[in-house]
Amino acid sequence: MTLRTDYCGSLRASDVGRTVTVCGWVDTRRVHSEHLAFIDLRDHTGIIQCVVDEKLDLRSEYVAAITGVVRARLDGANNDKLDTGEIEIGEATVEVLNVAEPPPFPMHERTDVDENIRLRHRYVDLRKPRMQRNLRTRAKVNSAVRGAMERQGFLEVETPMLIASTPEGARDFVVPSRLHPGDFYALPQSPQLFKQLCMVGGIDRYYQIARCLRDEDLRADRQFEFMQLDMEASFVGQDDILAFVSEAIADAAEAITGTRPGAIPTMTWHEAQERFGSDKPDVRFGMELTEMSDIFEGTEANVFKVPCVKGILYEGGATTLGRNAIDALTDKCKRWGAKGLAWFRVGEGGVLEGALTKFMSEAELAAVPERLGASAGDMVMIIAAERRVVNHVLGLLRLELGRPPVNEGGLQFLWVTEFPLFEAISDSGSPIPAHHPFTMPHPDDVDKLMVAEGEEFLEIRSQAYDLVLNGWELGSGSVRIHQGDVQAKIFELLGISDEEARQKFGFLLDAFKYGAPPHAGFAFGIDRIAALLAGEENIREIIAFPKTQSGGDPLTNAPTPIDPAHLEELGLRLLPPST
Ligand code: ASP
């Protein structure tokens, strides 16, 4: 039995004359006379106005079924803001299906509500059009991505949640074992090792919309648990993976926006650093980092006697940035690692003005604005330091000054390839992997890998790649090592002993002895892409039941203590809280 004939938001002028029943929540009600009342009834499709000619005790968020005849609204009473704004349900009778307490916060989007209160009553919050739209966007993304993967011959395989650790570099969530007191399962940071085992197992093309868990500090774009489109394929290389994923992304974007994005451009990590000072460049705007080291090669100015000098042009900045704003930017640059910020206003005829000009030669003063294409009213900002510091600081400064809001500038996808194999050198002198330890080195850098020492490791490229959208990292992947000897060499370099490698990944190394095909893969975050496609800056807006920034769930109160008897059964005893 269904209670309704139609959804609230689906009725149109073409339904005039029909007797209908709609069900939902009372959005608003306006009483006109003792009997006559206007009720706006809401369901997930929208709102319909109903005119009732009876005395009713009906409050906001009561659950009701309303039956009546669809009719055109009186002249001048149309509401352009509603899809159903030309019509109403007249001669309506109301059946109250359930009463409701007054909602814990105003239901109208115009009001900002404290997030804790929204999350504590998420079931009410979910009724709002914004959350309805966001969850439907997310479901469409999932469905589009599934369709694209299946069409490309990928098989959905589910991998376990209770596992031994995965090496994604974050902290594991762990689950104590009752049957093996003192032992713990880890929750998967990703299905990485299992998907590689699937390749050894001849699955050929695997995918899964996988739940991943990482015990890291939460941010606007990060939750403890998140969903990834995780995939892996055999007998393919980087280009094939980029093509498979691009197809899924294009389908998802098209499903939401109605427009299929064009081919996704590719940029090497090195180029991204040099031009944008970032491994996830937001290419919706220019303000590229411009090389000036050559201009200052023989400089007399002490600030510029450094290995690298680069600058950015802030158009119109000479008039829009006051002294306080510049001081605040300088402080930021110092916090980001620079000694200071060299800034110049550009005056008439492209002449640089600023405290540092007196230390600069005529040639330097002429070359800087010329290189940047600066004209009167602009601001030139220069950072001078080690190359890594210059790129990092200018990259952040560029975002600070030029980054458009989340829903402006369209969807600018970008593949960033040839990531370094290692991201840093640990205190013990071993390089730290930038992706995970199964990433294949770049073929041209394998020889270097065998002889590198110290900082030289940081120059070695890998076959790892990221997908970036509007400056957000959507996901990462790599061509994997499938030869035991190369893997052993990487473990040795990472300072992982044979014993440790056996203990942690012995099962994978064993599997590789039984015929591992060349393989490569990728994973991208569903929450992030769905958020960006929905125009949301915070992924919590695209998750039905998220945790707050401090990792709690105001709805269920998780995490909560457990019963002492349960602890006992698990063989656990709690330490007193540290003070
Ligand atoms: N497992 C990786 C991650 O979650 C993705 C991949 O390498 O396929 O970042």
Side-chain angles (χ1 to χ4, degrees), residues 462-569:
S462 72
Q463 295 185 59
Y465 31 83
D466 271 10
L467 179 62
V468 176
L469 170 56
N470 295 359
W472 286 34
E473 179 201 326
L474 283 187
S476 311
S478 57
V479 176
R480 323 297 183 186
I481 298 168
H482 64 281
Q483 315 91 327
D485 54 339
V486 182
Q487 188 65 69
K489 176 72 188 168
I490 294 282
F491 282 147
E492 182 194 320
L493 292 175
L494 298 179
I496 301 177
S497 66
D498 283 353
E499 199 187 340
E500 191 184 346
R502 275 233 63 77
Q503 188 215 336
K504 284 192 174 154
F505 319 117
F507 62 96
L508 185 75
L509 301 177
D510 283 345
F512 277 14
K513 291 183 199 152
Y514 291 93
H519 59 287
F522 195 75
F524 67 79
I526 297 284
D527 309 271
R528 288 188 185 175
I529 186 161
L532 286 167
L533 289 174
E536 292 286 2
E537 233 156 318
N538 193 318
I539 59 168
R540 298 197 287 275
E541 299 297 346
I542 204 90
I543 299 174
F545 299 103
K547 304 279 184 293
T548 59
Q549 191 105 1
S550 57
D553 176 4
L555 175 64
T556 63
N557 275 333
T560 49
I562 62 167
D563 200 36
H566 194 177
L567 276 180
E568 191 69 34
E569 206 176 21

Side-chain angles (χ1 to χ4, degrees), residues 168 189-192 195 212 214 228 230-232 435-436 476-478 480 521-523:
E168 295 288 352
Q189 292 187 33
S190 77
Q192 184 64 36
K195 67 175 172 174
C212 303
R214 299 182 189 176
Q228 293 202 92
D230 191 48
M231 55 88 78
E232 194 78 16
H435 194 40
H436 44 56
S476 311
S478 57
R480 323 297 183 186
F522 195 75

Side-chain angles (χ1 to χ4, degrees), residues 194-204 234 508 510-517 519:
F194 290 98
K195 67 175 172 174
Q196 293 194 244
L197 293 176
C198 283
M199 296 302 103
V200 184
I203 298 298
D204 199 64
S234 294
L508 185 75
D510 283 345
F512 277 14
K513 291 183 199 152
Y514 291 93
H519 59 287

Side-chain angles (χ1 to χ4, degrees), residues 104-105 113-122 125 540 546-557:
F105 39 74
V113 180
D114 176 69
E115 197 185 26
N116 262 299
I117 301 179
R118 283 179 61 199
L119 293 183
R120 173 148 1 113
H121 301 278
R122 189 60 150 183
D125 194 47
R540 298 197 287 275
K547 304 279 184 293
T548 59
Q549 191 105 1
S550 57
D553 176 4
L555 175 64
T556 63
N557 275 333

Side-chain angles (χ1 to χ4, degrees), residues 243-463:
F244 293 138
V245 177
S246 298
E247 185 74 3
I249 290 286
D251 278 17
E254 189 176 3
I256 306 304
T257 64
T259 317
R260 195 167 184 81
I264 301 179
T266 300
M267 184 182 291
T268 64
W269 180 89
H270 181 79
E271 186 181 345
Q273 291 294 349
E274 289 300 327
R275 288 175 56 194
F276 299 97
S278 170
D279 58 7
K280 45 177 193 293
D282 188 339
V283 291
R284 285 176 299 165
F285 66 108
M287 271 178 102
E288 291 193 21
L289 282 48
T290 302
E291 185 62 69
M292 297 187 169
S293 307
D294 55 318
I295 298 178
F296 291 99
E297 216 159 342
T299 190
E300 294 295 315
N302 285 336
V303 277
F304 298 129
K305 288 182 184 165
V306 288
C308 174
V309 182
K310 289 170 88 167
I312 54 175
L313 181 72
Y314 186 38
E315 282 175 29
T319 41
T320 52
L321 280 185
R323 194 54 212 242
N324 287 347
I326 297 174
D327 287 347
L329 288 173
T330 306
D331 285 346
K332 282 194 173 154
C333 291
K334 287 184 184 162
R335 239 179 297 136
W336 295 329
K339 288 225 168 60
L341 168 68
W343 57 272
F344 305 88
R345 295 204 160 90
V346 184
E348 284 312 317
V351 175
L352 290 192
E353 297 164 3
L356 288 170
T357 51
K358 59 177 175 290
F359 304 110
M360 292 162 63
S361 70
E362 288 297 313
E364 288 164 357
L365 287 170
V368 168
E370 198 206 311
R371 179 77 51 96
L372 286 168
S375 47
D378 293 344
M379 178 85 105
V380 170
M381 300 192 163
I382 295 182
I383 297 286
E386 294 289 327
R387 184 162 290 275
R388 270 169 200 275
V389 174
V390 169
N391 287 342
H392 173 69
V393 175
L394 271 185
L396 292 173
L397 189 62
R398 168 182 178 268
L399 289 179
E400 179 87 17
L401 292 172
R403 192 169 197 182
V406 68
N407 45 10
E408 281 177 22
L411 298 173
Q412 302 278 347
F413 291 97
L414 179 71
W415 284 109
V416 179
T417 59
E418 297 186 11
F419 265 66
L421 192 58
F422 305 109
E423 66 181 8
I425 309 291
S426 71
D427 293 341
S428 63
S430 315
I432 301 170
H435 194 40
H436 44 56
F438 312 107
T439 301
M440 185 82 101
H442 192 285
D444 299 343
D445 288 1
V446 173
D447 293 345
K448 271 197 231 163
L449 178 67
M450 299 300 165
V451 295
E453 281 176 27
E455 296 277 311
E456 287 165 8
F457 281 116
L458 303 181
E459 305 294 317
I460 294 166
R461 291 165 300 166
S462 72
Q463 295 185 59

